[in-house]
Amino acid sequence: MTSHAGEKWYRTETALGARHCVGRGDELIVVDGSPFGAWKPTGERLALSSARLLPPVIPPTFYAIGSNYRQHIEKMAATAGRAPVYYERPRVGYRANNALVGDGDAIVKPADAGEEFQYEAELVAVVGETLRNVTPARARDAIFGWTIGNDVSERHWQKIDQTNIRAKNCDTFKPMGPCIARLADLSGMRTKVTMNGVLLHDFDTLDMLFDAGEVISEISRYNTLSPGDVVWLGTDDKPRNMKPGDRLEIEITGIGVLRNHVVAASA
Amino acid sequence: MTSHAGEKWYRTETALGARHCVGRGDELIVVDGSPFGAWKPTGERLALSSARLLPPVIPPTFYAIGSNYRQHIEKMAATAGRAPVYYERPRVGYRANNALVGDGDAIVKPADAGEEFQYEAELVAVVGETLRNVTPARARDAIFGWTIGNDVSERHWQKIDQTNIRAKNCDTFKPMGPCIARLADLSGMRTKVTMNGVLLHDFDTLDMLFDAGEVISEISRYNTLSPGDVVWLGTDDKPRNMKPGDRLEIEITGIGVLRNHVVAASA
């Protein structure tokens, strides 16, 4: 992987349809094929600044971890008036692909969503190989790269519904992007959340209870992970409410900035 | 759709890779493309009896409904020693694609799964169009066809885990098939479950609290359904335990029989 360090993979609409692209300076080199397998340039190049970015991958399976940062667990528990719970093993969940949108896209707040409509800024590991029953070390080696996710959540629905299909998986509730970055070294990585130009959070991205290798290893005890699967790794701190008109930026060192804005549902 | 009534769509491995096939008598006519869009025969034909069938579709999003039959709700509640709960709206959930297997495949019981390792025999609606905010009547018209699902569930994990990734989404926990049948008329449809040659259940498939149109309409309030999405519609009665060696057959009128067998995990 070292030779690929710094490489960034995007996805965008091209004359041929949705295509993966590798970034080179301000340009996107459009390719046929997949970054997880064989690919070759189509010859088409696009300006990164004017491309409409899609989620950088549509995962075969979309995993997401809850309760993976100490301060998030403690602050959410305090708000709910209960004792914090630290899980002994990664708390593995999953999400639905219909909810994915890309960098620059709108997050649509449903008409009946409540006030506690919140972002969650997350580091995302993108799996590069087929994995089953692997150690954390082996899992770490099999990570293709990293992207940024916003695990948008409606807290009232999260409390009252029997499943999280509505609380976390409505259309547009899962912005992901802007790219998949291949990184040789994650040290010093920080996650910064800015809303309407104001910095709200700035936390140590890697200060997790379970790192990506441990999480993927746990998933692989029961499930086969496939190239392109994504594993969202949880958020720290206590997210704030978002309302239509708000502009959100999530920046993670070495990857870039995921920008989305909130709009009210038209219906 | 009437002109397509009785058409059955399969999926299998071919010389060209995984392909959709339309059934004709004892043969599979291999096609390029998708039954939900454009397709044309490749010229290859295979014997249905010797083909290894794959799940007839890999859904973009995999929806599943719980608590959709009265007797299932009542018997499961009685076993748990609690009052039955009838939901006022369809209880929408979802599943993970890693768990899908086809007709004839093994259901692998994990080494640490408990005794209450159970099947759930379900009618599955396969969506044929892009749908958002639609009425039940419009949703019914947009159903491409029907298949059979087995929503394998480990009840202890279902009780203790925070999410159902392990209880319902381990590898092989979601057999689906054998085909997608296009049906003009569902009246008189019955679901029969046979284990090791013994008929265990025989229920009215359509005696649901919410029919497929109502369920899809509910999903479409928040989510865009896409061609190939599947909606598993719940099971009736009280499922029994399965153990390695058990052979399970789920038959639904007009679709066919989904056959799978249980094996112990090798690890």
PDB file of all heavy atoms in Angstrom, chain B residues 207-241:
ATOM      1  N   ASP B 207     -52.561 -13.480   4.598  1.00  0.00           N
ATOM      2  CA  ASP B 207     -53.258 -13.073   5.822  1.00  0.00           C
ATOM      3  C   ASP B 207     -52.350 -12.172   6.664  1.00  0.00           C
ATOM      4  O   ASP B 207     -52.093 -12.409   7.842  1.00  0.00           O
ATOM      5  CB  ASP B 207     -53.663 -14.333   6.601  1.00  0.00           C
ATOM      6  CG  ASP B 207     -54.550 -14.005   7.800  1.00  0.00           C
ATOM      7  OD1 ASP B 207     -55.208 -12.949   7.768  1.00  0.00           O
ATOM      8  OD2 ASP B 207     -54.560 -14.808   8.752  1.00  0.00           O
ATOM      9  N   MET B 208     -51.836 -11.127   6.024  1.00  0.00           N
ATOM     10  CA  MET B 208     -50.887 -10.209   6.671  1.00  0.00           C
ATOM     11  C   MET B 208     -51.625  -9.036   7.295  1.00  0.00           C
ATOM     12  O   MET B 208     -52.717  -8.677   6.853  1.00  0.00           O
ATOM     13  CB  MET B 208     -49.930  -9.634   5.618  1.00  0.00           C
ATOM     14  CG  MET B 208     -49.113 -10.676   4.897  1.00  0.00           C
ATOM     15  SD  MET B 208     -48.173  -9.895   3.562  1.00  0.00           S
ATOM     16  CE  MET B 208     -47.324 -11.322   2.918  1.00  0.00           C
ATOM     17  N   LEU B 209     -50.979  -8.411   8.268  1.00  0.00           N
ATOM     18  CA  LEU B 209     -51.546  -7.177   8.824  1.00  0.00           C
ATOM     19  C   LEU B 209     -51.401  -6.052   7.799  1.00  0.00           C
ATOM     20  O   LEU B 209     -52.299  -5.231   7.638  1.00  0.00           O
ATOM     21  CB  LEU B 209     -50.839  -6.817  10.131  1.00  0.00           C
ATOM     22  CG  LEU B 209     -51.012  -7.859  11.251  1.00  0.00           C
ATOM     23  CD1 LEU B 209     -50.271  -7.411  12.514  1.00  0.00           C
ATOM     24  CD2 LEU B 209     -52.486  -8.075  11.569  1.00  0.00           C
ATOM     25  N   PHE B 210     -50.270  -6.010   7.111  1.00  0.00           N
ATOM     26  CA  PHE B 210     -50.039  -4.995   6.077  1.00  0.00           C
ATOM     27  C   PHE B 210     -49.583  -5.697   4.808  1.00  0.00           C
ATOM     28  O   PHE B 210     -48.602  -6.449   4.843  1.00  0.00           O
ATOM     29  CB  PHE B 210     -48.962  -3.997   6.522  1.00  0.00           C
ATOM     30  CG  PHE B 210     -49.283  -3.320   7.822  1.00  0.00           C
ATOM     31  CD1 PHE B 210     -48.700  -3.760   9.004  1.00  0.00           C
ATOM     32  CD2 PHE B 210     -50.186  -2.268   7.873  1.00  0.00           C
ATOM     33  CE1 PHE B 210     -49.001  -3.151  10.218  1.00  0.00           C
ATOM     34  CE2 PHE B 210     -50.505  -1.657   9.077  1.00  0.00           C
ATOM     35  CZ  PHE B 210     -49.906  -2.104  10.256  1.00  0.00           C
ATOM     36  N   ASP B 211     -50.274  -5.472   3.710  1.00  0.00           N
ATOM     37  CA  ASP B 211     -49.875  -6.164   2.481  1.00  0.00           C
ATOM     38  C   ASP B 211     -48.675  -5.456   1.838  1.00  0.00           C
ATOM     39  O   ASP B 211     -48.240  -4.387   2.293  1.00  0.00           O
ATOM     40  CB  ASP B 211     -51.071  -6.297   1.520  1.00  0.00           C
ATOM     41  CG  ASP B 211     -51.426  -5.018   0.781  1.00  0.00           C
ATOM     42  OD1 ASP B 211     -50.638  -4.053   0.786  1.00  0.00           O
ATOM     43  OD2 ASP B 211     -52.508  -4.982   0.173  1.00  0.00           O
ATOM     44  N   ALA B 212     -48.154  -6.071   0.786  1.00  0.00           N
ATOM     45  CA  ALA B 212     -46.924  -5.553   0.170  1.00  0.00           C
ATOM     46  C   ALA B 212     -47.085  -4.101  -0.279  1.00  0.00           C
ATOM     47  O   ALA B 212     -46.164  -3.287  -0.137  1.00  0.00           O
ATOM     48  CB  ALA B 212     -46.532  -6.434  -1.021  1.00  0.00           C
ATOM     49  N   GLY B 213     -48.269  -3.770  -0.801  1.00  0.00           N
ATOM     50  CA  GLY B 213     -48.498  -2.398  -1.261  1.00  0.00           C
ATOM     51  C   GLY B 213     -48.458  -1.406  -0.107  1.00  0.00           C
ATOM     52  O   GLY B 213     -47.852  -0.328  -0.211  1.00  0.00           O
ATOM     53  N   GLU B 214     -49.076  -1.776   1.008  1.00  0.00           N
ATOM     54  CA  GLU B 214     -49.063  -0.890   2.178  1.00  0.00           C
ATOM     55  C   GLU B 214     -47.643  -0.747   2.745  1.00  0.00           C
ATOM     56  O   GLU B 214     -47.231   0.340   3.168  1.00  0.00           O
ATOM     57  CB  GLU B 214     -50.007  -1.434   3.255  1.00  0.00           C
ATOM     58  CG  GLU B 214     -51.472  -1.345   2.846  1.00  0.00           C
ATOM     59  CD  GLU B 214     -52.394  -2.173   3.733  1.00  0.00           C
ATOM     60  OE1 GLU B 214     -52.011  -3.291   4.173  1.00  0.00           O
ATOM     61  OE2 GLU B 214     -53.520  -1.701   3.993  1.00  0.00           O
ATOM     62  N   VAL B 215     -46.916  -1.851   2.757  1.00  0.00           N
ATOM     63  CA  VAL B 215     -45.547  -1.819   3.290  1.00  0.00           C
ATOM     64  C   VAL B 215     -44.647  -0.939   2.415  1.00  0.00           C
ATOM     65  O   VAL B 215     -43.919  -0.077   2.910  1.00  0.00           O
ATOM     66  CB  VAL B 215     -44.972  -3.255   3.391  1.00  0.00           C
ATOM     67  CG1 VAL B 215     -43.477  -3.214   3.673  1.00  0.00           C
ATOM     68  CG2 VAL B 215     -45.716  -4.059   4.458  1.00  0.00           C
ATOM     69  N   ILE B 216     -44.713  -1.148   1.108  1.00  0.00           N
ATOM     70  CA  ILE B 216     -43.871  -0.366   0.200  1.00  0.00           C
ATOM     71  C   ILE B 216     -44.265   1.106   0.239  1.00  0.00           C
ATOM     72  O   ILE B 216     -43.403   1.993   0.228  1.00  0.00           O
ATOM     73  CB  ILE B 216     -43.938  -0.939  -1.229  1.00  0.00           C
ATOM     74  CG1 ILE B 216     -43.305  -2.335  -1.253  1.00  0.00           C
ATOM     75  CG2 ILE B 216     -43.251  -0.012  -2.237  1.00  0.00           C
ATOM     76  CD1 ILE B 216     -43.533  -3.107  -2.548  1.00  0.00           C
ATOM     77  N   SER B 217     -45.553   1.376   0.330  1.00  0.00           N
ATOM     78  CA  SER B 217     -46.019   2.758   0.449  1.00  0.00           C
ATOM     79  C   SER B 217     -45.421   3.410   1.701  1.00  0.00           C
ATOM     80  O   SER B 217     -44.925   4.549   1.654  1.00  0.00           O
ATOM     81  CB  SER B 217     -47.543   2.787   0.502  1.00  0.00           C
ATOM     82  OG  SER B 217     -48.007   4.071   0.833  1.00  0.00           O
ATOM     83  N   GLU B 218     -45.433   2.677   2.814  1.00  0.00           N
ATOM     84  CA  GLU B 218     -44.856   3.206   4.063  1.00  0.00           C
ATOM     85  C   GLU B 218     -43.351   3.478   3.904  1.00  0.00           C
ATOM     86  O   GLU B 218     -42.868   4.546   4.289  1.00  0.00           O
ATOM     87  CB  GLU B 218     -45.086   2.199   5.205  1.00  0.00           C
ATOM     88  CG  GLU B 218     -44.405   2.547   6.518  1.00  0.00           C
ATOM     89  CD  GLU B 218     -45.045   3.694   7.270  1.00  0.00           C
ATOM     90  OE1 GLU B 218     -46.193   4.071   6.937  1.00  0.00           O
ATOM     91  OE2 GLU B 218     -44.404   4.230   8.205  1.00  0.00           O
ATOM     92  N   ILE B 219     -42.629   2.512   3.341  1.00  0.00           N
ATOM     93  CA  ILE B 219     -41.186   2.707   3.132  1.00  0.00           C
ATOM     94  C   ILE B 219     -40.954   3.958   2.291  1.00  0.00           C
ATOM     95  O   ILE B 219     -40.064   4.763   2.564  1.00  0.00           O
ATOM     96  CB  ILE B 219     -40.566   1.476   2.433  1.00  0.00           C
ATOM     97  CG1 ILE B 219     -40.609   0.247   3.339  1.00  0.00           C
ATOM     98  CG2 ILE B 219     -39.118   1.763   1.996  1.00  0.00           C
ATOM     99  CD1 ILE B 219     -40.239  -1.064   2.640  1.00  0.00           C
ATOM    100  N   SER B 220     -41.804   4.138   1.273  1.00  0.00           N
ATOM    101  CA  SER B 220     -41.579   5.218   0.296  1.00  0.00           C
ATOM    102  C   SER B 220     -41.846   6.605   0.864  1.00  0.00           C
ATOM    103  O   SER B 220     -41.581   7.608   0.206  1.00  0.00           O
ATOM    104  CB  SER B 220     -42.431   4.990  -0.958  1.00  0.00           C
ATOM    105  OG  SER B 220     -43.770   5.418  -0.763  1.00  0.00           O
ATOM    106  N   ARG B 221     -42.376   6.682   2.086  1.00  0.00           N
ATOM    107  CA  ARG B 221     -42.543   7.994   2.720  1.00  0.00           C
ATOM    108  C   ARG B 221     -41.181   8.614   3.026  1.00  0.00           C
ATOM    109  O   ARG B 221     -41.037   9.828   3.068  1.00  0.00           O
ATOM    110  CB  ARG B 221     -43.317   7.874   4.033  1.00  0.00           C
ATOM    111  CG  ARG B 221     -44.768   7.466   3.874  1.00  0.00           C
ATOM    112  CD  ARG B 221     -45.402   7.237   5.233  1.00  0.00           C
ATOM    113  NE  ARG B 221     -45.371   8.447   6.046  1.00  0.00           N
ATOM    114  CZ  ARG B 221     -45.448   8.447   7.381  1.00  0.00           C
ATOM    115  NH1 ARG B 221     -45.523   7.313   8.058  1.00  0.00           N
ATOM    116  NH2 ARG B 221     -45.441   9.582   8.051  1.00  0.00           N
ATOM    117  N   TYR B 222     -40.179   7.768   3.280  1.00  0.00           N
ATOM    118  CA  TYR B 222     -38.859   8.260   3.697  1.00  0.00           C
ATOM    119  C   TYR B 222     -37.744   7.849   2.749  1.00  0.00           C
ATOM    120  O   TYR B 222     -36.689   8.462   2.726  1.00  0.00           O
ATOM    121  CB  TYR B 222     -38.534   7.746   5.103  1.00  0.00           C
ATOM    122  CG  TYR B 222     -39.542   8.180   6.138  1.00  0.00           C
ATOM    123  CD1 TYR B 222     -40.539   7.319   6.584  1.00  0.00           C
ATOM    124  CD2 TYR B 222     -39.513   9.476   6.641  1.00  0.00           C
ATOM    125  CE1 TYR B 222     -41.480   7.728   7.516  1.00  0.00           C
ATOM    126  CE2 TYR B 222     -40.446   9.900   7.574  1.00  0.00           C
ATOM    127  CZ  TYR B 222     -41.424   9.019   8.010  1.00  0.00           C
ATOM    128  OH  TYR B 222     -42.348   9.445   8.926  1.00  0.00           O
ATOM    129  N   ASN B 223     -37.978   6.762   2.007  1.00  0.00           N
ATOM    130  CA  ASN B 223     -36.910   6.180   1.204  1.00  0.00           C
ATOM    131  C   ASN B 223     -37.358   6.013  -0.241  1.00  0.00           C
ATOM    132  O   ASN B 223     -38.511   5.654  -0.502  1.00  0.00           O
ATOM    133  CB  ASN B 223     -36.540   4.789   1.730  1.00  0.00           C
ATOM    134  CG  ASN B 223     -35.923   4.829   3.118  1.00  0.00           C
ATOM    135  OD1 ASN B 223     -36.163   5.756   3.876  1.00  0.00           O
ATOM    136  ND2 ASN B 223     -35.132   3.836   3.436  1.00  0.00           N
ATOM    137  N   THR B 224     -36.409   6.197  -1.143  1.00  0.00           N
ATOM    138  CA  THR B 224     -36.648   5.904  -2.548  1.00  0.00           C
ATOM    139  C   THR B 224     -36.376   4.428  -2.787  1.00  0.00           C
ATOM    140  O   THR B 224     -35.269   3.956  -2.528  1.00  0.00           O
ATOM    141  CB  THR B 224     -35.713   6.742  -3.431  1.00  0.00           C
ATOM    142  OG1 THR B 224     -35.938   8.128  -3.154  1.00  0.00           O
ATOM    143  CG2 THR B 224     -35.972   6.470  -4.908  1.00  0.00           C
ATOM    144  N   LEU B 225     -37.387   3.700  -3.236  1.00  0.00           N
ATOM    145  CA  LEU B 225     -37.164   2.301  -3.608  1.00  0.00           C
ATOM    146  C   LEU B 225     -36.671   2.245  -5.046  1.00  0.00           C
ATOM    147  O   LEU B 225     -37.069   3.058  -5.887  1.00  0.00           O
ATOM    148  CB  LEU B 225     -38.446   1.490  -3.446  1.00  0.00           C
ATOM    149  CG  LEU B 225     -38.873   1.342  -1.987  1.00  0.00           C
ATOM    150  CD1 LEU B 225     -40.155   2.070  -1.717  1.00  0.00           C
ATOM    151  CD2 LEU B 225     -38.979  -0.124  -1.592  1.00  0.00           C
ATOM    152  N   SER B 226     -35.788   1.284  -5.313  1.00  0.00           N
ATOM    153  CA  SER B 226     -35.169   1.148  -6.629  1.00  0.00           C
ATOM    154  C   SER B 226     -35.486  -0.218  -7.221  1.00  0.00           C
ATOM    155  O   SER B 226     -35.747  -1.170  -6.486  1.00  0.00           O
ATOM    156  CB  SER B 226     -33.654   1.281  -6.492  1.00  0.00           C
ATOM    157  OG  SER B 226     -33.307   2.545  -5.988  1.00  0.00           O
ATOM    158  N   PRO B 227     -35.429  -0.326  -8.560  1.00  0.00           N
ATOM    159  CA  PRO B 227     -35.634  -1.629  -9.199  1.00  0.00           C
ATOM    160  C   PRO B 227     -34.667  -2.664  -8.620  1.00  0.00           C
ATOM    161  O   PRO B 227     -33.470  -2.403  -8.516  1.00  0.00           O
ATOM    162  CB  PRO B 227     -35.326  -1.337 -10.671  1.00  0.00           C
ATOM    163  CG  PRO B 227     -35.632   0.111 -10.837  1.00  0.00           C
ATOM    164  CD  PRO B 227     -35.218   0.745  -9.535  1.00  0.00           C
ATOM    165  N   GLY B 228     -35.202  -3.807  -8.231  1.00  0.00           N
ATOM    166  CA  GLY B 228     -34.379  -4.853  -7.641  1.00  0.00           C
ATOM    167  C   GLY B 228     -34.374  -4.846  -6.122  1.00  0.00           C
ATOM    168  O   GLY B 228     -33.914  -5.815  -5.509  1.00  0.00           O
ATOM    169  N   ASP B 229     -34.867  -3.783  -5.504  1.00  0.00           N
ATOM    170  CA  ASP B 229     -35.021  -3.808  -4.045  1.00  0.00           C
ATOM    171  C   ASP B 229     -35.973  -4.942  -3.672  1.00  0.00           C
ATOM    172  O   ASP B 229     -36.950  -5.206  -4.392  1.00  0.00           O
ATOM    173  CB  ASP B 229     -35.615  -2.491  -3.528  1.00  0.00           C
ATOM    174  CG  ASP B 229     -34.567  -1.387  -3.359  1.00  0.00           C
ATOM    175  OD1 ASP B 229     -33.368  -1.648  -3.566  1.00  0.00           O
ATOM    176  OD2 ASP B 229     -34.973  -0.252  -3.024  1.00  0.00           O
ATOM    177  N   VAL B 230     -35.692  -5.585  -2.564  1.00  0.00           N
ATOM    178  CA  VAL B 230     -36.584  -6.637  -2.079  1.00  0.00           C
ATOM    179  C   VAL B 230     -37.218  -6.207  -0.761  1.00  0.00           C
ATOM    180  O   VAL B 230     -36.604  -5.487   0.025  1.00  0.00           O
ATOM    181  CB  VAL B 230     -35.862  -7.991  -1.904  1.00  0.00           C
ATOM    182  CG1 VAL B 230     -35.355  -8.497  -3.255  1.00  0.00           C
ATOM    183  CG2 VAL B 230     -34.734  -7.916  -0.889  1.00  0.00           C
ATOM    184  N   VAL B 231     -38.451  -6.659  -0.566  1.00  0.00           N
ATOM    185  CA  VAL B 231     -39.181  -6.366   0.667  1.00  0.00           C
ATOM    186  C   VAL B 231     -39.701  -7.685   1.215  1.00  0.00           C
ATOM    187  O   VAL B 231     -40.610  -8.292   0.631  1.00  0.00           O
ATOM    188  CB  VAL B 231     -40.347  -5.389   0.407  1.00  0.00           C
ATOM    189  CG1 VAL B 231     -41.058  -5.049   1.716  1.00  0.00           C
ATOM    190  CG2 VAL B 231     -39.847  -4.122  -0.280  1.00  0.00           C
ATOM    191  N   TRP B 232     -39.069  -8.153   2.294  1.00  0.00           N
ATOM    192  CA  TRP B 232     -39.476  -9.406   2.925  1.00  0.00           C
ATOM    193  C   TRP B 232     -40.645  -9.084   3.846  1.00  0.00           C
ATOM    194  O   TRP B 232     -40.590  -8.140   4.637  1.00  0.00           O
ATOM    195  CB  TRP B 232     -38.298 -10.013   3.700  1.00  0.00           C
ATOM    196  CG  TRP B 232     -37.193 -10.538   2.823  1.00  0.00           C
ATOM    197  CD1 TRP B 232     -36.748 -10.022   1.644  1.00  0.00           C
ATOM    198  CD2 TRP B 232     -36.380 -11.699   3.080  1.00  0.00           C
ATOM    199  NE1 TRP B 232     -35.711 -10.787   1.147  1.00  0.00           N
ATOM    200  CE2 TRP B 232     -35.460 -11.813   2.014  1.00  0.00           C
ATOM    201  CE3 TRP B 232     -36.334 -12.645   4.110  1.00  0.00           C
ATOM    202  CZ2 TRP B 232     -34.507 -12.840   1.947  1.00  0.00           C
ATOM    203  CZ3 TRP B 232     -35.382 -13.659   4.050  1.00  0.00           C
ATOM    204  CH2 TRP B 232     -34.497 -13.760   2.973  1.00  0.00           C
ATOM    205  N   LEU B 233     -41.697  -9.919   3.756  1.00  0.00           N
ATOM    206  CA  LEU B 233     -42.988  -9.503   4.313  1.00  0.00           C
ATOM    207  C   LEU B 233     -43.380 -10.170   5.626  1.00  0.00           C
ATOM    208  O   LEU B 233     -44.516 -10.045   6.068  1.00  0.00           O
ATOM    209  CB  LEU B 233     -44.066  -9.691   3.234  1.00  0.00           C
ATOM    210  CG  LEU B 233     -43.901  -8.701   2.067  1.00  0.00           C
ATOM    211  CD1 LEU B 233     -44.649  -9.176   0.836  1.00  0.00           C
ATOM    212  CD2 LEU B 233     -44.362  -7.309   2.468  1.00  0.00           C
ATOM    213  N   GLY B 234     -42.445 -10.852   6.276  1.00  0.00           N
ATOM    214  CA  GLY B 234     -42.739 -11.423   7.597  1.00  0.00           C
ATOM    215  C   GLY B 234     -43.238 -12.855   7.507  1.00  0.00           C
ATOM    216  O   GLY B 234     -43.521 -13.374   6.424  1.00  0.00           O
ATOM    217  N   THR B 235     -43.325 -13.491   8.668  1.00  0.00           N
ATOM    218  CA  THR B 235     -43.743 -14.889   8.710  1.00  0.00           C
ATOM    219  C   THR B 235     -44.899 -15.062   9.676  1.00  0.00           C
ATOM    220  O   THR B 235     -45.108 -14.230  10.565  1.00  0.00           O
ATOM    221  CB  THR B 235     -42.573 -15.819   9.132  1.00  0.00           C
ATOM    222  OG1 THR B 235     -42.901 -17.165   8.758  1.00  0.00           O
ATOM    223  CG2 THR B 235     -42.301 -15.765  10.640  1.00  0.00           C
ATOM    224  N   ASP B 236     -45.633 -16.158   9.510  1.00  0.00           N
ATOM    225  CA  ASP B 236     -46.716 -16.471  10.441  1.00  0.00           C
ATOM    226  C   ASP B 236     -46.295 -17.654  11.308  1.00  0.00           C
ATOM    227  O   ASP B 236     -45.287 -18.305  11.048  1.00  0.00           O
ATOM    228  CB  ASP B 236     -48.001 -16.809   9.679  1.00  0.00           C
ATOM    229  CG  ASP B 236     -49.254 -16.588  10.549  1.00  0.00           C
ATOM    230  OD1 ASP B 236     -49.102 -16.236  11.741  1.00  0.00           O
ATOM    231  OD2 ASP B 236     -50.369 -16.748  10.022  1.00  0.00           O
ATOM    232  N   ASP B 237     -47.094 -17.915  12.324  1.00  0.00           N
ATOM    233  CA  ASP B 237     -46.914 -19.069  13.209  1.00  0.00           C
ATOM    234  C   ASP B 237     -45.607 -18.950  14.002  1.00  0.00           C
ATOM    235  O   ASP B 237     -44.912 -17.934  13.942  1.00  0.00           O
ATOM    236  CB  ASP B 237     -46.963 -20.368  12.400  1.00  0.00           C
ATOM    237  CG  ASP B 237     -47.548 -21.532  13.231  1.00  0.00           C
ATOM    238  OD1 ASP B 237     -47.687 -21.390  14.465  1.00  0.00           O
ATOM    239  OD2 ASP B 237     -47.856 -22.567  12.637  1.00  0.00           O
ATOM    240  N   LYS B 238     -45.296 -19.974  14.750  1.00  0.00           N
ATOM    241  CA  LYS B 238     -44.110 -19.931  15.628  1.00  0.00           C
ATOM    242  C   LYS B 238     -43.046 -20.865  15.055  1.00  0.00           C
ATOM    243  O   LYS B 238     -43.214 -22.084  15.066  1.00  0.00           O
ATOM    244  CB  LYS B 238     -44.517 -20.388  17.028  1.00  0.00           C
ATOM    245  CG  LYS B 238     -43.408 -20.267  18.057  1.00  0.00           C
ATOM    246  CD  LYS B 238     -43.897 -20.691  19.429  1.00  0.00           C
ATOM    247  CE  LYS B 238     -42.808 -20.554  20.480  1.00  0.00           C
ATOM    248  NZ  LYS B 238     -41.530 -21.133  20.098  1.00  0.00           N
ATOM    249  N   PRO B 239     -41.954 -20.299  14.542  1.00  0.00           N
ATOM    250  CA  PRO B 239     -40.918 -21.141  13.949  1.00  0.00           C
ATOM    251  C   PRO B 239     -40.279 -22.081  14.984  1.00  0.00           C
ATOM    252  O   PRO B 239     -40.244 -21.777  16.174  1.00  0.00           O
ATOM    253  CB  PRO B 239     -39.894 -20.133  13.438  1.00  0.00           C
ATOM    254  CG  PRO B 239     -40.669 -18.877  13.251  1.00  0.00           C
ATOM    255  CD  PRO B 239     -41.669 -18.865  14.368  1.00  0.00           C
ATOM    256  N   ARG B 240     -39.773 -23.216  14.506  1.00  0.00           N
ATOM    257  CA  ARG B 240     -39.088 -24.181  15.364  1.00  0.00           C
ATOM    258  C   ARG B 240     -37.572 -23.999  15.250  1.00  0.00           C
ATOM    259  O   ARG B 240     -37.079 -23.299  14.380  1.00  0.00           O
ATOM    260  CB  ARG B 240     -39.438 -25.613  14.892  1.00  0.00           C
ATOM    261  CG  ARG B 240     -40.918 -25.836  14.636  1.00  0.00           C
ATOM    262  CD  ARG B 240     -41.578 -26.530  15.771  1.00  0.00           C
ATOM    263  NE  ARG B 240     -42.968 -26.851  15.394  1.00  0.00           N
ATOM    264  CZ  ARG B 240     -43.422 -28.102  15.217  1.00  0.00           C
ATOM    265  NH1 ARG B 240     -42.615 -29.144  15.365  1.00  0.00           N
ATOM    266  NH2 ARG B 240     -44.702 -28.298  14.912  1.00  0.00           N
ATOM    267  N   ASN B 241     -36.878 -24.725  16.098  1.00  0.00           N
ATOM    268  CA  ASN B 241     -35.408 -24.692  16.057  1.00  0.00           C
ATOM    269  C   ASN B 241     -34.887 -25.559  14.913  1.00  0.00           C
ATOM    270  O   ASN B 241     -35.481 -26.582  14.572  1.00  0.00           O
ATOM    271  CB  ASN B 241     -34.824 -25.218  17.365  1.00  0.00           C
ATOM    272  CG  ASN B 241     -35.217 -24.342  18.542  1.00  0.00           C
ATOM    273  OD1 ASN B 241     -35.593 -23.183  18.372  1.00  0.00           O
ATOM    274  ND2 ASN B 241     -35.134 -24.897  19.743  1.00  0.00           N
TER     275      ASN B 241
END
